[in-house]
Amino acid sequence: MERGERIVVTIAADDSMRFNGMPMTRDEIVGRFKELKGVKMDFPILISGDRKSSLGTGIELLSELKAAGFEKVTFQVDGEKGGR
């Protein structure tokens, strides 16, 4: 990974996750971030969630990343808005 690159974690409607397009579990993703943190790279992280995914899934991931020392984390929501 090169300096200045952005990492995108995608959360699908079924709460499955991808790290820059590669399927991974939350634990694998957090482990990967910890590896990257070890090489002292400062990079933004985007958590892109499908509207149908569980809010808790994204919040839990955010919490783990913050606890690991990552501060540049943003959210994006994709998918169609549902009516009420």
Side-chain angles (χ1 to χ4, degrees):
M1 180 156 191
E2 306 216 6
R3 202 171 272 294
E5 270 188 87
R6 176 173 74 170
I7 295 175
V8 179
V9 176
T10 307
I11 304 173
D14 65 359
D15 291 336
S16 63
M17 296 185 190
R18 292 181 175 274
F19 179 96
N20 282 351
M22 297 181 59
M24 291 187 185
T25 66
R26 187 176 71 228
D27 289 342
E28 290 171 330
I29 289 171
V30 171
R32 182 72 178 121
F33 278 115
K34 287 179 180 177
E35 289 171 10
L36 291 172
K37 187 78 171 179
V39 295
K40 306 267 190 242
M41 295 182 81
D42 188 27
F43 43 82
I45 301 167
L46 173 66
I47 299 174
S48 178
D50 187 286
R51 266 184 208 287
K52 295 180 182 175
S53 65
S54 300
L55 176 61
T57 301
I59 298 299
E60 288 169 3
L61 177 60
L62 175 64
S63 177
E64 289 186 55
L65 293 177
K66 293 283 186 174
F70 294 95
E71 296 298 325
K72 295 182 181 179
V73 182
T74 58
F75 275 95
Q76 169 183 307
V77 178
D78 292 326
E80 295 181 27
K81 289 184 179 182
R84 287 186 182 229

